[in-house]
Amino acid sequence: MKSKHIFSMVLVLVLIFSLVTGCNKADNNDEQEKTAAVPRSIVISSPEWQGADTAQITATYSSQNLIADPLLNYETDGSLTSNVAKSYNVSPDGLTVTIEMPDDLKFHDGTSVTPNDVKFSFEYFIKVSPFADDFAAVKSVEVSGNNVIVSLSTPSTTLLFNLGSNIFPILKEADSNGKTKEQLLWGTTVYGAFYVDEYVAGDHVTLKKNPYYKTYNQHVINKGAMNVETITVRFIKDTFANVQGMLSGEIANVEGLSADVKTQLADNPDIVTDWESQPSVARFEMNNDFELFKDPDIRLAMMLLIDREKTKVYSNGNYEPVYSYSVSGMTDYSSSAEEYFKAKYVNDAKRALQILSDKGWNDSDGDGFLDRNGKKFEFTVSLNNNAMKNLAECLQIVFKEKGIKMNLNYMDTGAFRNLFKSDTHEAAISLFQWGDTAGTLPYIVKDKNIFDSKAYDEILQEAITTADKEKRMAGYTKAQQMLMDSRCNLPLVRVNSLLVYNQKSLPNFKVINNIPYFNDVR
């Protein structure tokens, strides 16, 4: 399969932690008095951060919203609302984005956050970010009073999406100029509810609160400084250690735990487990160059055999079946592509087995596996993501029930990348987590031997650059239908995870639309 591949990317980017605050002084004095508790510290657990300067790193985690508060808040219906910015507006033609900044925001050192800092942050992102292409439409960024005016060459939903994520931090220009990327990685001043006080590689980061913090987020009461003075973010990889930390009360919050720990925590009344259903899509790819999958009818049979509901049962709810590459919660999501896939490619084992039988695949020796000319129907699926291990094992069971032998090949990222470059893989499972349809569809694996990539790219380009939402959605649906009809790369499930917190340690902690909020914690 000679094609451009995007490898399994768990960019648990940004969508999941808008921790910003909200309180009207005139109306909520009593509430502020109640939440003004004795200063204290808490411990939470997160995967290890790559840096405090989220603009230049390749993966961010929900806990990093504590230090890098997004300009806007991304809602699950695809809309954007105020967060750090007071308001924003997009012109009818989609070519001008106006961001109104408050005049009373301050970094943790007491210096004002200015529109010029936001302008600098745009320019810096375009210069250093691995996702700078998402801002390719930016022609210029200008400041007029409290407004930051972004002029675009074409409409860009991708740019807007990024403004609601922590990969676009607001940096203090005065502290950033003259420093190298390496110096800024852990030494930059970013606007957020907290700032990095100490970083110990491989172990933890200590955060201190920004006493001047303010927000315009609509989901919180306390729109000022946090009531928690210090947060220690420990980089704990081991699931057992996270569970024990929660049970002992040492850890107040853990993100990204799998479903199997829910029963271990069920007996503690102080521990709350909420599902995080992120807009992530795990996909199953069959390599058209592999002899077994050269026949499109065989690939069709494979598609029809996959029972997504069984993967949900086998994983205790960790996986949610999906039937398109753009799913609910993503920008410009439409159910049309899902309906198309369901009508043509879902759950018809009887038809699938008949197709295989017509192709000569039957269990002639009674060993439970299909065979033809003395060879078993057998292939190997490669994967490099721990979150996909359980899914692969679920699929292994599903295929075995139908007489197909699927072997598993767990690889590290480097080996996985080299396998794709050599185009010697037989099948693969990959995960792409990103909330923007325009930022997802271009990166799905396509086989140029059987796929009209030029037509696909033209459809996407037309959709991405129009200000008409209905036309965008129709274009994205058409592009997804092309992918589905190639019968090579199919959507499987979205990966759920548990957001776990101790309600005794975190009173008034909120989870709204999959987003955890610390703002009102007393």
Side-chain angles (χ1 to χ4, degrees), residues 214-268:
K214 289 187 178 181
T215 183
Y216 285 84
N217 189 282
Q218 65 179 346
H219 294 301
V220 295
I221 297 171
N222 173 29
K223 298 188 187 296
M226 299 285 183
N227 296 304
V228 176
E229 293 287 333
T230 304
I231 296 181
T232 300
V233 184
R234 295 183 58 194
F235 306 139
I236 303 175
K237 297 179 181 180
D238 184 66
T239 299
F240 178 79
N242 277 313
V243 170
Q244 292 306 306
M246 287 298 305
L247 291 172
S248 69
E250 179 187 357
I251 299 173
N253 165 241
V254 183
E255 59 177 299
L257 289 176
S258 59
D260 55 353
V261 307
K262 195 167 186 177
T263 54
Q264 300 175 49
L265 300 170
D267 292 336
N268 190 322

Side-chain angles (χ1 to χ4, degrees), residues 23-93:
C23 178
N24 184 297
K25 273 189 179 179
D27 299 330
N28 294 290
N29 288 332
D30 290 343
E31 187 63 35
Q32 285 207 346
E33 287 180 12
K34 281 197 296 182
T35 58
V38 176
R40 63 192 185 93
S41 302
I42 60 173
V43 177
I44 65 175
S45 176
S46 166
E48 183 165 3
W49 296 5
Q50 293 180 10
D53 176 9
T54 56
Q56 62 170 295
I57 60 181
T58 58
T60 62
Y61 299 98
S62 57
S63 52
Q64 288 179 270
N65 272 59
L66 288 164
I67 63 163
D69 213 0
L71 272 172
L72 303 172
N73 189 45
Y74 186 80
E75 307 287 351
T76 55
D77 64 359
S79 65
L80 288 163
T81 56
S82 297
N83 193 42
V84 171
K86 194 172 184 179
S87 67
Y88 86 104
N89 178 68
V90 181
S91 62
D93 61 5

